[in-house]
Amino acid sequence: MHRSVAARYLSDVENSKGVTKVPFFDLRRQYLPLREDILSGIAALCDQQNFILGTQVEELEQKIAALVGTTCGIGTSSGTDAQLMILMSLGIGPGDAVLTTPFTFFSTAGCIARVGATPIFIDIDPNTFALSPARLEEFLVKRCVSTSTGLKTNDGKRICAVIPIHLFGLGADMDSIMEVAAHWNLPVIEDAAQAIGARYPTRDGVRSAGAVGVAGFFSFYPTKNLGAFGDAGMMVTNDSALAQNLRVLRNHGMDPKYYHRQIGGNFRLDALQAMVLLKKLPHLGAWSQRRWEIAQEYREALADLSPDLLLPVEPYRESCGSAGHIFHQFVIRTKHRDALRANLHEVGIGTEIYYPLALHQQDCFRDLGYRKGEFPEAERAASECLALPIFPELTQEEISLVTGAIRTFFEKKHV
Ligand SMILES: Cc1ncc(COP(=O)(O)O)c(C=O)c1O
């Protein structure tokens, strides 16, 4: 580690004592040990002056595809742009509808609306926070009609795709979702933005998040398990024709140069971001393993606070071990969420709420006509969920501070 930078970091930590004892995340701790390696990579790129796509992007695409177990990886400017392009590439647009959950980051539904289609929400499974296969089937059976031009809603919108989200680093129940989707002939796009390297069991064996649907995508937003120095994303698929089209769309739909049969955009991944990600990628497995170990420590220290406090589930632990949940977030549930959060803030512990308002209740989706109470599990999750600090460099002392403060809160009956 570079001495002066390390000293400055430690003095920052010292100065912040009494204010923040445990930050929600601290990217500098990950960066400092890699500093020399990453800066030498940036220097080499600056010497070359090749910044758009190129060899670093191609190498990253191959390595992510290999990690996930797909034949193709296509780097892009963000997870959001990845999803947008997949929807565009599947020809989804006005008059169409896409099924997803109301309990996720905004971009999932935002992209559906941006291509002119309608997001239709399906409630979550309260244990995994992911799309409930039972609710999905119920919607398709009770609220849709099969027509000669495909499956339609009662008001005539063509149902075009299903987007499950592997939220917080845990895979959705893909076997059941794929079975329902296959029955109705619907493509499944996996939002694996938060789940790079997460595994789940399927009837064809253990698979990686993103590898089962027609396409999947990841976000390399800086705080993700694998984070860039800015925005970046990756699409993965086994469909080489789809991959080829995504590559064309990523660059203004241009093929060959300056000839455009379709309208794409500038959705390219920068060589600089790809280089940073290549430097970090070899550490991803160890980082996610460490997150899982921290999760086990939280779990052990807090287990007896149930039912006041509920811990995240690990349904794939037996089949997938620690890769069954990569703990992008460690999200607890409690009816006393807001009081607990305020109390943790007072004692200097950072937390975050993912997500405080379900998507069907957002102002921008008012026109969709949903009512409060329509998705009870998503709404309950939005009022009860609290994410605790979890990052690989969290110290033992910090873990104890977090668990100690939570125990004190419940024992002192702040609730
Ligand atoms: C579930 C989910 N989907 C999509 C995205 C969008 O990714 P990006 O921020 O890279 O655009 C995110 C980002 O946080 C996300 O958490």
Side-chain angles (χ1 to χ4, degrees), residues 393-404:
E393 303 78 16
L394 205 60
T395 66
Q396 216 57 46
E397 189 192 350
E398 288 171 321
I399 297 168
S400 303
L401 280 171
V402 175
T403 55

Side-chain angles (χ1 to χ4, degrees), residues 78-80 104-105 107-108 165 191 193-194 217 219 221 224 232 355:
S78 68
T80 306
T104 174
F105 180 60
S107 68
T108 317
I165 296 112
D191 180 338
Q194 302 186 5
F217 63 92
S219 163
Y221 184 79
K224 294 287 192 279
Y355 298 92

